[in-house]
Amino acid sequence: MKRRTFLQTSGFIGSATILKSPSLDNTSLATEPIIIATWKNEKGTKSGWDKMMQTGRALDGVEAGAWVPEADPNETSVGYGGLPDRDGHVTLDACIMDHLGNAGAVTFLEGIMHPISVARAVMEKTPHVMLSGAGALKFALDQGFKKQNLLTPASKKAWEEWKKESKYKPIVNIENHDTIGLLGIGKAGEIAGACSTSGLAYKMHGRVGDSPIIGGAVFCDDEVGGACATGLGEFVMKTLGSFLIVEFMRQGMSPQKACEEAIMRIVKRYKYQDFQVGYLALNKKGEYGAYSIQKGFNFTITKNGITQVIESASYMS
Ligand code: ASP
């Protein structure tokens, strides 16, 4: 079943609904590892969890979690198989942040299967936070990443179909984004976050969304927790949603309340609400929360080796 498909509901944790048993509680010790991701990303969180169990590190876990949709040709919003922009280019945005406040990002990157790992290399091997376009590609190749065609025949066909009716203006609805955002707490209780996307399908060539923006799609502060975002990036960027959520949590809000307040910031400020934004937050106690504008946002958790998909509460019910 696609992540974007509405899922059957069966119970409640706070204002989120548990979709699968066995159930998890919404708290854990600060040192108890957990990995959570936007949308229905069970393979991603499981794989991230396994990596985190091997190395102990949240940063390794969130990176490995992103690798799964990045390499999946059937995942049309991330990496290989991502739907192209309106000129037929698959352009990738990604960012990563560790518990020390280090961050790395790539934007408008083409031809590299794992942009999240290029973002990590930017963080760890350069004095910069963000590399873009041709410069990001050159850096990736210098680092040993291989260039390849990410436009699958299926995505090319979908783009060719879209062109027949194309009005050459942004198409924005909850059907054309599924970005993966991840948050993890490692064995030492440290937090990290990551995000990877091919962005909005059929976006203008050169468009960069929130996904590589530190504080937009991802923010972590090891004193407080972390947040990540999916949805129409323009509104996440205009409100710096993940940073806002972490600051709300710093002021004492629960992850759930902080996500709700950040969504309300968008809803109140911008009249047009026919788009989706979804937020996910995790505090240092291991409590999590999620909230979206539209129905249909869900997220995945792996904790104690158990994985669940949970439907988020939403403003438009
Ligand atoms: N946030 C992404 C972007 O605006 C899209 C998504 O979440 O799918 O590029």
Side-chain angles (χ1 to χ4, degrees):
M1 193 188 298
K2 291 297 293 178
R3 284 180 283 167
R4 57 180 63 116
T5 308
F6 277 45
L7 298 171
Q8 201 186 343
T9 61
S10 66
F12 284 95
I13 280 183
S15 51
T17 305
I18 298 180
L19 299 172
K20 290 184 179 174
S21 58
S23 67
L24 299 170
D25 62 20
N26 189 10
T27 58
S28 61
L29 297 173
T31 50
E32 197 173 321
I34 182 171
I35 185 154
I36 66 178
T38 53
W39 304 107
K40 192 170 182 297
N41 260 308
E42 291 146 296
K43 283 186 191 158
T45 60
K46 274 184 199 156
S47 177
W49 172 269
D50 289 346
K51 187 76 181 178
M52 209 156 74
M53 290 301 102
Q54 281 165 20
T55 71
R57 298 185 65 197
L59 191 69
D60 295 332
V62 295
E63 180 189 22
W67 287 340
V68 173
E70 283 180 342
D72 182 351
N74 299 315
E75 177 47 66
T76 57
S77 305
V78 184
Y80 179 52
L83 289 167
D85 65 18
R86 56 189 59 177
D87 294 345
H89 295 259
V90 181
T91 68
L92 308 171
D93 298 333
C95 74
I96 196 160
M97 190 165 191
D98 74 9
H99 66 291
L100 300 171
N102 298 310
V106 288
T107 74
F108 198 49
L109 174 64
E110 291 188 56
I112 300 291
M113 175 86 81
H114 293 300
I116 197 66
S117 298
V118 186
R120 183 169 176 173
V122 172
M123 176 174 87
E124 292 178 338
K125 297 181 178 168
T126 80
H128 306 305
V129 169
M130 184 181 285
L131 291 178
S132 182
L137 177 59
K138 181 177 182 306
F139 170 72
L141 297 175
D142 288 349
Q143 291 295 314
F145 291 87
K146 298 280 169 267
K147 190 168 181 201
Q148 60 193 101
N149 178 21
L150 301 179
L151 186 65
T152 57
S155 287
K156 189 167 183 221
K157 193 164 168 234
W159 169 61
E160 278 162 355
E161 279 301 312
W162 175 83
K163 276 200 296 184
K164 288 181 194 163
E165 297 273 310
S166 164
K167 296 193 175 85
Y168 221 72
K169 67 176 188 182
I171 296 177
V172 175
N173 59 47
I174 61 172
E175 295 302 318
N176 62 5
H177 47 76
D178 266 357
T179 297
I180 187 165
L182 299 119
L183 300 165
I185 292 180
K187 284 187 178 169
E190 89 288 5
I191 195 157
C195 183
S196 184
T197 192
S198 53
L200 296 180
Y202 319 128
K203 62 195 173 185
M204 289 176 70
H205 186 60
R207 181 264 188 189
V208 171
D210 62 311
S211 302
I213 306 297
I214 296 297
V218 171
F219 197 74
C220 294
D221 185 321
D222 210 43
E223 288 182 359
V224 179
C228 62
T230 182
L232 185 54
E234 279 71 5
F235 291 89
V236 176
M237 291 155 95
K238 286 177 197 174
T239 53
L240 215 51
S242 293
F243 180 75
L244 185 63
I245 289 167
V246 171
E247 291 309 302
F248 281 151
M249 292 196 295
R250 192 193 307 279
Q251 291 162 20
M253 283 186 206
S254 67
Q256 182 62 38
K257 178 75 177 153
C259 289
E260 290 174 13
E261 288 297 318
I263 288 292
M264 292 315 294
R265 183 71 62 94
I266 297 173
V267 166
K268 283 183 192 155
R269 191 171 291 178
Y270 301 101
K271 299 261 181 287
Y272 175 64
Q273 286 164 22
D274 190 16
F275 59 84
Q276 178 67 304
V277 171
Y279 287 126
L280 194 53
L282 178 68
N283 68 16
K284 284 299 297 289
K285 288 189 271 183
E287 297 166 333
Y288 53 82
Y291 202 63
S292 59
I293 300 177
Q294 312 286 342
K295 281 170 76 175
F297 175 49
N298 42 55
F299 59 101
T300 309
I301 299 179
T302 298
K303 190 169 107 179
N304 297 327
I306 300 169
T307 299
Q308 285 187 316
V309 177
I310 297 177
E311 184 168 355
S312 170
S314 58
Y315 170 73
M316 308 280 274
S317 46

